[in-house]
Amino acid sequence: MAAERLTPGVIESLFTDPDRTAREFPVPVLQCLQIKPLGAGAGNERYRLVLSDMRHYVQCMLATQRNNLIHEGILQRGSILKMKEYQAQYVKGKSILIVLDIEVMPELGQPEKIGEPKAIEMPTAPPQQNTVIGGAGFYGAKSEPTQETKTQVQRQTNRGNGGGGGGGGGAGDRHAGTLSPIEALSMYSHKWTIKARVTQKSDIKTWHKQSGEGKLFSVNLLDESGEIRATGFNEQVDQFYDVLQEGSVYYISTPCKVQLAKKQFTNLPNDYELTFDRETLIEKAEDQSSVPQVRYNFCNIRELNDVEKDATVDVIGVLKDVEEVTQITSKSTQKPYDKRELTLVDDTGYSVRVTVWGKVATSFDAAPDTVVAFKGTKVGDFGGRSLSLLSSGTMTVDPDIPDAHRLKGWYDSSGRNDSFATHSNLASAGAATGRKEDLKTISQVKEEGLGMGDQTDYFTVKATVVHIKQENFCYPACLNQGCNKKVTNDMGDGWRCEKCNQTHPRPEYRYVMSLSVNDHTGQMWLSCFDDTGRVIMGGKSADELMEMKENEDPQLAAEFEAANCRKLTFRVRAKTDTFGDQARIRYSVMSAAPLDYKSEGHKLADLIKQMSM
């Protein structure tokens, strides 16, 4: 039984006696009572969990690298799970777990709440904060040595400002406590030390305004839990720019300000960023191998057509063509910029143009047929889909990662002689109606098994709406532009958005619809969101329909009735989702457009002519 597998009392133990927990409960087993999305950062959501050991329950934050367990339906409410690596913290008098790695036990199912757990209460004097436990090393979690001799490289005295570097004490003494993972940092974090690799360092940038002038630089920092951007201004440029070297690992300790990330300046999936202080302690670590080199979230080249313009993606492929360096002049600044065009291909059968700039363009020396990985490229739509390497992005030639080895093996065995399609033949109208080669009937979609397995498939289908589920056709969303997260009615005081940390007087309702469509070959269910929902509902917004529902307006039924029998062209993404032990294919509508009967008539006439010849 699931109850017999839980570890009763372990939640209280890991906050009050972490040494005993590591000794007696190396791999605690808990039950998930609740999963709640908190907000998004660069496209990556954060989730809050409530976990129970049958006696107590505790609020938890799931590390973003394990979000896939929720996206794939593996971790659900009621799931029983093993805690492989986690961190116990006290934040504003509350006990919180940062969950870094877990293993769900699907064989135990998702039973109802086991026992009558109570909230964990914080002791009067917590014995230890920021405790990281890693399954006693059983799952290969790296434990940080408590006394490691480190080379101090930061304490440079800013003589012009009368000191300012601080100093004193041995590095081993300062880092005798356990390190904090980057994933755990927030505005509520106070005394902390992280061990992180500098994966990217910007040039020094200057500004001149009427109010004054200044300079800054930024670095991207990476550890096993996540990434974060750190910036130094003015005096801190002189202090830290030469200290922090790209590719090296450092200990960074408070004082160092944690604040909300300015998303226009970073492509990292973190809601927070750091600002260096004159007293920030930065020390180079002797152990340079225990921190990963880089973390990628690759999008294959075929899928770029379904990525929004101006989105930031990581991509990997084989270098097919390298053009010479050219120079363009910015219209806004009149400054010249060096650029180089690269052509990248992968095993989806597609190619894409990647533009690199500045020093990357002029010093580029990779030969065709090598594998290149790009982190932080901006998606453009000039002449179809294209990519541009951001100033905060990085490029790695022949990286030692599984994706690179797979692509190299494919290219050497067969890909070298393949021909590749591009996205350049997709105009804006084509995005609504789909590619000719992707047009399918419903029976073809099912017979060909589109969406089955690990591969995401895309297709276009012409079909008629026959039924729309009306029970939950929309949800209340945040009013802030670009947020779109669900808000909750905060005890009658307004509508609360957890991501924006803001309460609104009212929500904006957005479509989230499930509809049944038919063509002459069969039937299928499609999931639609706000933009496509408006097309299906003849231009009516979800706000308008929700007002009808609240006022019990009979016109609401008439609106849904009018949507039935509408013939549309749907651009659809097919992907397998797993819920428990059951896998099913989810068909999500990317775009929808009414049929152009004149164009369709011409196509049929041409087809008849071809058949009669």
Side-chain angles (χ1 to χ4, degrees):
M1 294 176 59
E4 297 174 352
R5 301 294 296 274
L6 298 186
T7 313
V10 71
I11 290 178
E12 181 179 19
S13 174
L14 64 88
F15 283 98
T16 59
D17 194 349
D19 291 336
R20 172 175 171 262
T21 304
R23 184 174 62 254
E24 298 183 12
F25 312 114
V27 187
V29 178
L30 305 176
Q31 183 182 28
C32 180
L33 300 183
Q34 188 182 88
I35 301 173
K36 183 178 181 181
L38 289 180
N44 289 276
E45 288 185 318
R46 289 191 169 207
Y47 290 92
R48 176 186 295 161
L49 310 179
V50 176
L51 299 182
S52 163
D53 66 5
M54 196 160 56
R55 294 180 186 172
H56 296 96
Y57 65 83
V58 65
Q59 298 277 348
C60 307
M61 184 77 72
L62 181 66
T64 54
Q65 70 264 22
R66 303 307 286 145
N67 283 357
N68 64 297
L69 296 176
I70 296 175
H71 296 160
E72 297 168 10
I74 298 172
L75 176 59
Q76 302 183 47
R77 183 174 180 177
S79 293
I80 309 298
L81 51 92
K82 295 178 180 178
M83 299 284 288
K84 296 167 62 175
E85 190 173 359
Y86 50 91
Q87 178 192 49
Q89 283 195 343
Y90 293 98
V91 178
K92 288 193 171 184
K94 294 183 178 180
S95 303
I96 294 178
L97 273 184
I98 307 297
V99 180
L100 300 174
D101 196 12
I102 58 176
E103 177 186 344
V104 179
M105 305 169 70
E107 69 273 13
L108 299 179
Q110 292 88 36
E112 294 297 319
K113 182 175 69 173
I114 300 173
E116 294 296 332
K118 299 178 180 179
I120 181 69
E121 296 182 1
M122 178 181 171
T124 305
Q128 186 174 352
Q129 292 191 351
N130 298 336
T131 302
V132 173
I133 303 175
F138 182 78
Y139 289 94
K142 295 181 178 64
S143 56
E144 195 63 34
T146 56
Q147 298 288 336
E148 178 183 357
T149 304
K150 306 170 183 75
T151 304
Q152 183 176 2
V153 295
Q154 182 271 327
R155 289 303 181 191
Q156 302 176 22
T157 304
N158 190 341
R159 294 181 176 84
N161 291 281
D173 292 336
R174 270 185 226 104
H175 301 302
T178 308
L179 300 173
S180 294
I182 286 175
E183 183 72 29
L185 298 182
S186 73
M187 291 185 293
Y188 303 113
S189 304
H190 299 295
K191 293 182 179 180
W192 50 261
T193 298
I194 61 173
K195 183 180 181 182
R197 186 183 302 277
V198 177
T199 58
Q200 190 269 344
K201 184 173 80 168
S202 73
D203 295 330
I204 297 175
K205 301 176 183 178
T206 59
W207 72 86
H208 304 274
K209 299 180 181 178
Q210 291 182 350
S211 58
E213 59 184 32
K215 57 186 177 181
L216 65 87
F217 82 102
S218 63
V219 292
N220 291 347
L221 302 172
L222 169 72
D223 70 6
E224 290 183 335
S225 72
E227 294 178 88
I228 196 167
R229 179 175 181 259
T231 303
F233 294 90
N234 299 323
E235 295 177 2
Q236 281 64 63
V237 175
D238 299 327
Q239 263 184 294
F240 301 129
Y241 188 80
D242 292 332
V243 169
L244 293 167
Q245 298 299 317
E246 200 166 286
S248 294
V249 177
Y250 300 86
Y251 293 93
I252 302 175
S253 304
T254 51
C256 187
K257 186 178 181 181
V258 184
Q259 59 191 21
L260 289 175
K262 300 177 180 65
K263 293 300 184 182
Q264 67 269 35
F265 300 124
T266 179
N267 63 302
L268 299 183
N270 198 319
D271 291 334
Y272 300 102
E273 63 184 14
L274 305 178
T275 301
F276 294 132
D277 183 90
R278 65 181 298 183
E279 295 295 330
T280 300
L281 177 64
I282 301 179
E283 301 169 298
K284 191 170 185 178
E286 285 190 357
D287 177 13
Q288 294 280 308
S289 62
S290 63
V291 177
Q293 296 285 338
V294 67
R295 186 184 300 276
Y296 293 105
N297 184 21
F298 289 125
C299 170
N300 69 50
I301 298 176
R302 179 183 179 184
E303 292 177 343
L304 288 174
N305 186 57
D306 300 291
V307 177
E308 293 183 3
K309 179 181 178 293
D310 296 330
T312 302
V313 299
D314 302 341
V315 68
I316 186 170
V318 178
L319 193 61
K320 193 71 173 175
D321 185 54
V322 181
E323 296 186 8
E324 295 298 322
V325 175
T326 59
Q327 197 171 77
I328 63 170
T329 301
S330 169
K331 293 182 179 179
S332 58
T333 64
Q334 297 302 309
K335 291 183 179 180
Y337 291 93
D338 294 316
K339 60 176 286 191
R340 188 191 293 266
E341 303 283 352
L342 312 174
T343 301
L344 212 62
V345 300
D346 69 8
D347 52 357
T348 65
Y350 277 74
S351 68
V352 67
R353 186 178 73 257
V354 183
T355 304
V356 295
W357 303 87
K359 293 180 181 178
V360 178
T362 55
S363 62
F364 187 88
D365 60 356
D369 301 342
T370 57
V371 177
V372 185
F374 293 91
K375 181 173 181 62
T377 62
K378 183 178 180 180
V379 179
D381 63 355
F382 181 75
R385 281 293 185 257
S386 60
L387 298 173
S388 177
L389 184 64
L390 298 170
S391 59
S392 59
T394 59
M395 179 188 72
T396 306
V397 178
D398 285 328
D400 186 14
I401 57 176
D403 292 276
H405 301 321
R406 173 181 56 81
L407 284 174
K408 186 64 174 174
W410 156 78
Y411 190 77
D412 289 343
S413 63
S414 63
R416 192 184 302 272
N417 300 317
D418 287 353
S419 58
F420 298 90
T422 69
H423 296 296
S424 60
N425 62 325
L426 296 175
S428 57
T433 58
R435 298 186 290 249
K436 290 182 179 180
E437 66 269 23
D438 281 347
L439 183 61
K440 304 286 184 183
T441 64
I442 291 176
S443 64
Q444 286 176 327
V445 170
K446 296 181 178 180
E447 289 169 1
E448 295 175 15
L450 298 185
M452 295 182 67
D454 297 331
Q455 182 69 38
T456 301
D457 290 311
Y458 299 86
F459 62 89
T460 301
V461 63
K462 300 173 186 176
T464 302
V465 177
V466 295
H467 178 69
I468 301 173
K469 288 186 178 180
Q470 301 180 28
E471 295 81 8
N472 297 298
F473 65 87
C474 65
Y475 71 97
C478 178
L479 286 175
N480 289 341
Q481 186 174 5
C483 179
N484 299 336
K485 290 298 175 184
K486 185 176 180 179
V487 294
T488 55
N489 198 336
D490 197 3
M491 301 180 66
D493 295 329
W495 295 80
R496 178 75 177 169
C497 177
E498 292 282 357
K499 175 192 173 185
C500 300
N501 194 24
Q502 188 175 348
T503 300
H504 302 285
R506 63 176 180 82
E508 176 194 16
Y509 285 94
R510 296 177 62 84
Y511 286 114
V512 53
M513 304 173 66
S514 182
L515 63 147
S516 175
V517 299
N518 278 65
D519 67 3
H520 63 288
T521 67
Q523 178 272 344
M524 71 191 318
W525 284 93
L526 302 177
S527 298
C528 302
F529 300 97
D530 197 61
D531 291 342
T532 51
R534 288 173 181 260
V535 175
I536 292 163
M537 298 307 297
K540 286 281 194 305
S541 69
D543 268 330
E544 292 176 274
L545 266 62
M546 196 63 188
E547 184 178 359
M548 295 179 191
K549 183 176 181 179
E550 291 172 347
N551 295 331
E552 298 183 356
D553 189 338
Q555 181 63 25
L556 178 65
E559 293 293 339
F560 280 104
E561 187 63 31
N564 281 332
C565 297
R566 280 200 173 111
K567 291 181 172 62
L568 300 166
T569 299
F570 298 96
R571 178 76 176 151
V572 183
R573 178 179 61 209
K575 182 175 175 56
T576 298
D577 287 339
T578 303
F579 296 91
D581 295 329
Q582 185 175 2
R584 66 176 183 179
I585 302 175
R586 181 182 295 276
Y587 302 106
S588 300
V589 178
M590 310 299 295
S591 62
L595 283 181
D596 182 345
Y597 288 98
K598 181 178 179 180
S599 174
E600 293 296 323
H602 286 310
K603 291 178 184 177
L604 289 174
D606 291 340
L607 182 61
I608 292 171
K609 289 178 182 178
Q610 293 175 13
M611 295 177 64
S612 60
M613 291 177 63

